[in-house]
Amino acid sequence: MSSAARRASHPALANGDGEYGPEEDEEEEEGDEGDEPEEEPRLKYQRLGGSVPAILSTDAAAAIAVTDRAVLLGTHDGTLHILDFQGNQSKEIKAHTATINDISFEDREYIGSCSDDGTVVISNLFTDEKLKFEYHRPMKAIALDPQYSRSNNRFATGGLAGQVLVLTKKSWVSGYNKKVLREGEGPIHSMKWRTDLLAWANDAGVKVHDMKTDRGIAFIEKPKGIPRPEVLLPHLVWQDDTVLVIGWGTSVKIAAIRTDSSQGLNGMQRSISAASSEKYVDIVGSFQTGYHISGIAPFGDLLVMLAYIPEEDDGDKKNSTSVSSRQGTAQRPEIHLVSWKNDVLTTDALPIHGYEHYKAKDYTLAHAPFSGSSNAGGQWAAGDEPLYYIVSPKDIVVAKPRDTEDHIAWLLQHGWHEKALAAVEAGQGRTELLDEVGTRYLDHLIIERKYAEAAQLCPKLLRGSPSAWERWVFHFAHLRQLPVLIPYIPIENPQLSDTAYEVALVALTTNASFHGLLLTTLKSWPPTLYSASPVISAIEPQLNSSSMTNSLKEALAELYVINSQYEKALSLFAELLKPEVFEFIEKHNLHDAIHDKVVNLMLLDCKRAVHLLIQHRDIIPPYEVVEQLLHASKSCDKKYLLHQYLHALFEVDIHAGKDYHDMQLELYADYEPRMLLPFLRTSQHYRLDKAYEIFAQKEFVKEQVFVLGRMGNAKEALSTIINKLEDIQEAVEFVTEQHDDELWDELIRQCLQKPEMVGMLLEHTVGNLDPLYIVSLVPDGLEIPKLRDRLVKIVTDYRTETSLRHGCNDILKADCVNLLVKYYHEARRGVCMASMDEEAQGARVNEGSSRTGDRSSTLRNLEMKSRTRCGARCCLCFDPLSIQDMSFIVFYCCHAYHQSCLEGGLDSMKSNSNARDSDEGSEDDDGSPSGESRMRCVLCTTAAA
């Protein structure tokens, strides 16, 4: 027998109102606990309430039957109570005057009962119809035909007379036909009818009769060594239409009704007839118990046993035919769930009221009809679960299979929260049960201090309940474990109150190990969820403390941005050297706020910082930038940063940083020497002595030469070029730029000290100095390398240069003659000066063409007009030129004529000039085509002739 059978559990019973009642006189059993894991019970128990307590307070229960419509309770005073399944009485039938021993029912509406008063009563469940049969001897059993109302109201009964009577209503006359099936074998103790099979138990044993063929099919002997029936009654129950379960004393037998000749499961065939067409009984299961059987009922493929524990004498159980017990020493009755092989699955001890005073026969077990489709895993399908009624004289307990919610509750009770959660998630139970399971699971994990595991389960357990989420947020906060929950807090579906989010964020500010999570959370949570001010207030006191980490600074900056405190955010971003600080400055126009952040910006990105500072140098003047860089910490290369800034500033505005040009020289010397000469040539704001000192120290010769030249010490500069650079071309260029003839002599003098220099000087002075002069100064006997070749080259270059000069002079002379002739021809042309009115009219008519005319001609017209007015006269008629409405012509020789006078004076000249024109060619002397009319100054032309 398993440990579950050895040690019975004591379930708390629920009263009819649904509340758990107190357990009465429960005692702890001695022995080691926890040796084996406790098995989950299969049944749960509840006291039948309603009208039952009131009924049993003045009477005692004697018999019970359960239909699919009602509970039928018979008492010792002979009353039949019709109850609903909650115990509420719906009808009371005064059927007998003594104890009701047995009750049977028909599926529709009829109830049969028998009593010690010798009567059998057939009652209608819904009407007052009642049939009563007198037998004058106590009747112990009754069984209505399952088809009672359709089979002439047939029923069977028996009692102390020892007769099995079958009564059938007569067809044509009133009354019943009575038939004795069996007699002379002792009192009838129990009787059950299923389909066409009637089974009863008497002192000899159990018999099964086929009511259809009216033949007995089986006889099963009474077990040996069991108490008398007056002390312990036999119990019969049909598990289905073909299986009869017999519990008698301590013996259980399971009989299967078969219709063929095959052997039974155990090879224990007990048959009345050998004919294959007749029914026979096969005993398919048989075992002994260690307790007395007070009731038996099917439980799917298992059996429910109502066990009465007999008293013990010297450690051995009494199995004699006479069971004696001292008053008030009986043990609790037990419910055992066993298999057909007596494998005990569960054992439950029942705290029945007054159990100490009861005997085995005082208990009754009845079960409600059920389909019995399945009980896989101990769980019954909805509508299939049976009800078991354990009846004692003063108490009725209802047992039924534990459902999924009971299973989940049991798992929770034993600390198997994960299994309980899995059962709920599998859809086994009400959806609302998930809240209860989740709460208890989380409470369990919190007690076990498994905070991370509890936090991880919150999304699954709390789901979309804002109130539940907020409750656990504050609970975790109270435990100071909120950081483990924050990654799982929902930000939508559901969205919590802003207080919950603020509490979570503030909790992350207290410990440096949480600052990274705080920053991540701030970036992932929408700022609309919370107010930034409480979190800022929690962080700001830590700004100057050792607990202020970079992550916390960045988080504070993000909060400043949310709170529109952009300047404070900029300070932190710059301090943290965040690359996005430049975009942040432009986005929020924070150029005024970067005065004290130059160094950080330069360290972050020198190129972008320099561009920003120069672009806004009106806001951040150069002296502020330089001062901050000069006082920067030693951890940065402040000189390089200064160089980058001043160089960029110089390229944009050469005068903007003039106060720092001396410093800039040093910086160029250190970082970018190639920029020294351009800087020296461009700037006028550096000290020459300082520059020379720097270049001398750095041995920058070219720069020294330039500075010496700027200082007026040209000879030393020239000496430096020749002696240190040894570059004659550079020396020649330097001397040429100085425009000092004495320097040429100095150059020649210094070069004469080095023969190689003389040859190089001869090559580079062509065009600047006469080579013969240099040769004449060369001392006799001085050996100059490659002198002949160099002289040849000098002569060749000199001839070429001379030839080019002559050619250029010829070209210049020809150009001068041509231009003079052109000027002469222009001077001989006349200019027609019209009157003011004519000029105005001509200007209006020819406005378009005058815009494209020669602007120089207009200017000349105005000039000549000014000269010929003020009393000027015509050179032919000597009349004033200012005669109204008359045009006149002015020549560049300043002679003026009326147009009419000039045209008349020239006519006499045309005949003389025609012959000459034909001989001279197609053009006049003035270059005009021959076809054009020519006007010439009469005075000048006559004089020339």
Side-chain angles (χ1 to χ4, degrees):
M1 188 177 295
S2 68
S3 61
R6 290 195 302 270
R7 182 177 183 276
S9 61
H10 303 277
L13 301 184
N15 293 327
D17 57 3
E19 297 182 357
Y20 285 99
E23 296 185 5
E24 301 177 3
D25 303 331
E26 292 191 13
E27 299 177 358
E28 294 292 337
E29 295 190 6
E30 297 181 358
D32 295 333
E33 295 184 4
D35 294 341
E36 295 183 12
E38 183 180 349
E39 295 185 13
E40 182 180 358
R42 297 293 187 91
L43 297 171
K44 60 182 177 180
Y45 305 87
Q46 182 180 19
R47 281 194 170 89
L48 190 61
S51 305
V52 172
I55 294 171
L56 298 184
S57 65
T58 58
D59 203 350
I64 191 170
V66 184
T67 74
D68 57 354
R69 297 184 180 183
V71 178
L72 314 175
L73 176 64
T75 60
H76 281 279
D77 69 353
T79 303
L80 187 62
H81 299 275
I82 312 301
L83 310 173
D84 61 17
F85 291 104
Q86 284 73 41
N88 301 307
Q89 180 173 292
S90 60
K91 188 176 183 180
E92 180 180 290
I93 301 174
K94 297 294 184 179
H96 306 278
T97 58
T99 301
I100 296 177
N101 293 317
D102 195 13
I103 301 173
S104 180
F105 62 89
E106 186 258 351
D107 289 342
R108 296 189 176 184
E109 53 186 325
Y110 293 98
I111 305 168
S113 59
C114 60
S115 172
D116 281 346
D117 63 1
T119 60
V120 173
V121 176
I122 308 297
S123 306
N124 191 292
L125 184 62
F126 305 108
T127 67
D128 295 333
E129 179 185 355
K130 184 190 301 182
L131 295 176
K132 189 172 185 179
F133 302 87
E134 294 281 352
Y135 293 103
H136 310 291
R137 296 282 305 270
M139 303 301 290
K140 298 295 184 180
I142 184 172
L144 298 183
D145 187 337
Q147 302 293 326
Y148 175 84
S149 59
R150 294 188 291 271
S151 60
N152 296 325
N153 298 350
R154 184 169 61 167
F155 67 93
T157 186
L160 295 182
Q163 293 180 331
V164 178
L165 301 175
V166 178
L167 284 78
T168 306
K169 187 178 181 181
K170 296 179 180 179
S171 302
W172 304 102
V173 295
S174 61
Y176 280 78
N177 291 325
K178 182 174 68 174
K179 179 180 180 179
V180 179
L181 290 183
R182 187 71 62 177
E183 62 182 342
E185 296 177 350
I188 308 301
H189 304 295
S190 179
M191 184 178 291
K192 297 296 178 183
W193 196 333
R194 182 74 174 249
T195 61
D196 295 328
L197 301 176
L198 177 64
W200 68 87
N202 53 27
D203 288 345
V206 177
K207 292 189 176 182
V208 181
H209 192 85
D210 188 343
M211 299 300 291
K212 185 176 183 179
T213 61
D214 195 19
R215 300 186 64 175
I217 60 174
F219 169 66
I220 303 170
E221 292 181 345
K222 173 185 175 181
K224 296 179 181 181
I226 63 173
R228 302 187 312 271
E230 293 80 2
V231 178
L232 193 59
L233 295 173
H235 299 276
L236 306 177
V237 62
W238 288 98
Q239 178 155 332
D240 55 33
D241 292 345
T242 60
V243 177
L244 176 66
V245 181
I246 305 166
W248 201 339
T250 59
S251 174
V252 176
K253 291 184 179 181
I254 304 169
I257 312 301
R258 306 204 182 272
T259 56
D260 57 25
S261 59
S262 61
Q263 294 293 324
L265 295 177
N266 297 324
M268 301 172 59
Q269 183 174 356
R270 297 178 64 92
S271 173
I272 299 296
S273 173
S276 61
S277 61
E278 295 182 356
K279 297 177 181 178
Y280 68 92
V281 172
D282 194 7
I283 303 300
V284 296
S286 177
F287 57 87
Q288 294 291 321
T289 67
Y291 48 82
H292 292 165
I293 300 171
S294 294
I296 191 168
F299 186 85
D301 297 333
L302 305 174
L303 296 175
V304 175
M305 313 286 287
L306 177 56
Y308 179 83
I309 310 301
E311 293 184 7
E312 298 180 355
D313 185 11
D314 298 331
D316 297 329
K317 291 187 178 181
K318 296 180 179 180
N319 293 323
S320 62
T321 57
S322 155
V323 178
S324 61
S325 60
R326 289 191 299 271
Q327 190 73 12
T329 60
Q331 299 185 38
R332 299 176 186 273
E334 296 177 355
I335 290 293
H336 291 232
L337 190 61
V338 302
S339 69
W340 287 7
K341 295 181 180 180
N342 200 27
D343 296 326
V344 180
L345 277 71
T346 60
T347 300
D348 300 324
L350 305 178
I352 299 294
H353 292 321
Y355 69 89
E356 303 93 340
H357 308 286
Y358 298 146
K359 308 299 180 184
K361 67 177 298 181
D362 292 328
Y363 295 103
T364 303
L365 175 64
H367 71 282
F370 63 97
S371 63
S373 61
S374 172
N375 70 330
Q379 307 300 327
W380 293 78
D384 287 348
E385 58 183 22
L387 298 176
Y388 300 91
Y389 291 80
I390 300 98
V391 180
S392 68
K394 292 295 183 178
D395 200 3
I396 300 177
V397 174
V398 182
K400 61 181 179 180
R402 295 169 61 84
D403 56 17
T404 302
E405 295 187 10
D406 297 316
H407 170 63
I408 294 170
W410 185 85
L411 292 173
L412 293 174
Q413 180 182 355
H414 289 78
W416 295 333
H417 299 84
E418 189 171 356
K419 292 182 179 179
L421 179 60
V424 176
E425 290 179 334
Q428 303 174 5
R430 295 176 289 108
T431 305
E432 297 79 6
L433 194 60
L434 181 60
D435 296 333
E436 178 184 354
V437 173
T439 300
R440 294 186 62 177
Y441 193 5
L442 291 176
D443 286 335
H444 167 73
L445 293 174
I446 294 298
I447 293 173
E448 295 292 326
R449 297 189 177 184
K450 298 179 179 179
Y451 304 112
E453 186 176 348
Q456 188 176 4
L457 286 173
C458 280
K460 179 190 297 184
L461 300 180
L462 304 182
R463 297 170 294 154
S465 173
S467 59
W469 268 106
E470 290 178 10
R471 182 171 65 253
W472 280 103
V473 166
F474 293 123
H475 188 46
F476 271 80
H478 176 72
L479 297 172
R480 296 186 178 181
Q481 296 296 326
L482 196 52
V484 300
L485 180 64
I486 287 178
Y488 305 101
I489 295 178
I491 57 177
E492 60 180 0
N493 299 324
Q495 180 175 325
L496 312 185
S497 66
D498 54 353
T499 304
Y501 295 111
E502 292 162 9
V503 168
L505 294 174
V506 170
L508 296 178
T509 64
T510 58
N511 192 313
S513 60
F514 304 145
H515 293 168
L517 178 60
L518 172 63
L519 179 59
T520 303
T521 304
L522 286 173
K523 290 182 177 180
S524 61
W525 283 3
T528 56
L529 294 178
Y530 54 89
S531 172
S533 298
V535 192
I536 293 174
S537 300
I539 298 176
E540 284 183 336
Q542 305 180 51
L543 273 174
N544 298 321
S545 66
S546 59
S547 62
M548 193 67 180
T549 62
N550 287 341
S551 295
L552 189 58
K553 288 181 181 178
E554 187 174 354
L556 181 59
E558 295 290 345
L559 291 168
Y560 281 144
V561 173
I562 294 172
N563 229 25
S564 299
Q565 296 174 273
Y566 300 120
E567 291 190 7
K568 291 184 176 181
L570 174 62
S571 297
L572 293 173
F573 282 143
E575 183 179 350
L576 294 169
L577 304 180
K578 303 299 291 182
E580 59 271 17
V581 68
F582 295 100
E583 291 80 2
F584 187 78
I585 292 171
E586 295 297 335
K587 179 179 179 181
H588 300 289
N589 194 23
L590 298 174
H591 305 100
D592 288 334
I594 63 176
H595 287 272
D596 57 344
K597 303 170 183 63
V598 172
V599 176
N600 289 333
L601 294 176
M602 294 286 283
L603 290 175
L604 178 59
D605 190 330
C606 182
K607 183 176 180 180
R608 296 182 67 180
V610 166
H611 177 75
L612 176 67
L613 294 171
I614 292 177
Q615 186 179 8
H616 299 280
R617 60 186 180 275
D618 55 331
I619 300 175
I620 311 102
Y623 72 86
E624 287 190 10
V625 178
V626 174
E627 286 299 317
Q628 290 189 48
L629 291 176
L630 286 175
H631 294 88
S633 63
K634 296 182 179 179
S635 59
C636 66
D637 190 353
K638 56 185 178 182
K639 292 183 65 178
Y640 177 76
L641 299 179
L642 271 171
H643 163 65
Q644 293 292 328
Y645 173 73
L646 292 176
H647 172 64
L649 181 65
F650 181 76
E651 289 186 335
V652 174
D653 185 352
I654 60 176
H655 302 293
K658 63 182 180 179
D659 296 337
Y660 306 103
H661 281 194
D662 287 335
M663 182 190 302
Q664 197 167 356
L665 281 173
E666 295 183 31
L667 297 174
Y668 276 134
D670 290 336
Y671 297 103
E672 206 167 358
R674 65 180 183 83
M675 291 298 300
L676 283 172
L677 284 176
F679 178 78
L680 293 171
R681 292 188 180 99
T682 307
S683 173
Q684 302 293 328
H685 306 292
Y686 57 88
R687 291 189 309 166
L688 295 175
D689 56 341
K690 178 68 173 178
Y692 184 78
E693 180 182 350
I694 294 172
F695 301 149
Q697 183 180 0
K698 297 286 186 178
E699 296 183 356
F700 292 159
V701 179
K702 291 185 178 181
E703 287 76 8
Q704 292 181 50
V705 170
F706 182 85
V707 172
L708 288 172
R710 288 283 298 271
M711 295 172 69
N713 197 348
K715 291 184 178 181
E716 185 176 353
L718 179 61
S719 177
T720 302
I721 295 173
I722 295 174
N723 296 323
K724 293 184 178 180
L725 291 181
E726 296 183 351
D727 188 344
I728 294 299
Q729 183 176 357
E730 181 75 16
V732 171
E733 292 178 359
F734 175 76
V735 173
T736 302
E737 291 175 356
Q738 299 301 316
H739 304 288
D740 188 353
D741 294 337
E742 293 183 1
L743 277 181
W744 286 108
D745 295 337
E746 180 66 19
L747 173 61
I748 295 171
R749 186 183 63 77
Q750 294 194 21
C751 288
L752 290 176
Q753 299 176 7
K754 298 179 181 181
E756 179 63 29
M757 288 289 182
V758 175
M760 297 174 62
L761 179 63
L762 291 173
E763 290 182 0
H764 292 90
T765 54
V766 176
N768 296 308
L769 195 64
D770 187 0
L772 295 177
Y773 175 73
I774 299 175
V775 172
S776 65
L777 295 177
V778 176
D780 294 338
L782 182 64
E783 186 174 341
I784 301 175
K786 302 180 181 179
L787 178 60
R788 187 191 62 179
D789 296 337
R790 287 173 173 169
L791 290 175
V792 171
K793 182 177 182 301
I794 290 172
V795 171
T796 303
D797 292 342
Y798 184 76
R799 289 176 178 175
T800 302
E801 182 180 356
T802 302
S803 176
L804 290 174
R805 286 181 177 180
H806 288 315
C808 291
N809 287 333
D810 293 341
I811 293 172
L812 288 175
K813 290 178 181 178
D815 288 342
C816 289
V817 172
N818 292 333
L819 290 174
L820 182 60
V821 171
K822 184 177 180 180
Y823 173 75
Y824 173 72
H825 289 162
E826 286 289 332
R828 294 179 65 189
R829 294 179 180 274
V831 179
C832 180
M833 307 296 291
S835 65
M836 297 300 295
D837 293 338
E838 291 177 354
E839 288 183 2
Q841 183 178 2
R844 286 193 299 269
V845 173
N846 301 318
E847 182 177 359
S849 60
S850 65
R851 291 178 182 175
T852 59
D854 189 2
R855 184 174 298 272
S856 61
S857 299
T858 303
L859 293 176
R860 287 194 300 269
N861 292 346
L862 293 177
E863 183 180 1
M864 295 305 296
K865 187 181 295 185
S866 64
R867 291 180 180 180
T868 56
R869 295 192 181 205
C870 303
R873 296 178 179 274
C874 176
C875 293
L876 292 179
C877 66
F878 299 104
D879 290 334
L881 296 177
S882 57
I883 296 174
Q884 189 175 4
D885 297 332
M886 291 185 67
S887 296
F888 56 91
I889 295 175
V890 179
F891 294 92
Y892 279 92
C893 57
C894 296
H895 295 148
Y897 304 90
H898 290 120
Q899 185 174 2
S900 57
C901 297
L902 184 59
E903 290 176 352
L906 291 176
D907 287 341
S908 60
M909 300 172 60
K910 288 181 181 180
S911 58
N912 298 328
S913 62
N914 284 337
R916 186 180 62 231
D917 290 342
S918 60
D919 296 335
E920 292 179 354
S922 60
E923 290 189 3
D924 295 333
D925 294 339
D926 58 1
S928 299
S930 60
E932 294 183 7
S933 62
R934 296 184 302 276
M935 286 190 178
R936 298 176 180 173
C937 177
V938 175
L939 294 180
C940 293
T941 303
T942 305

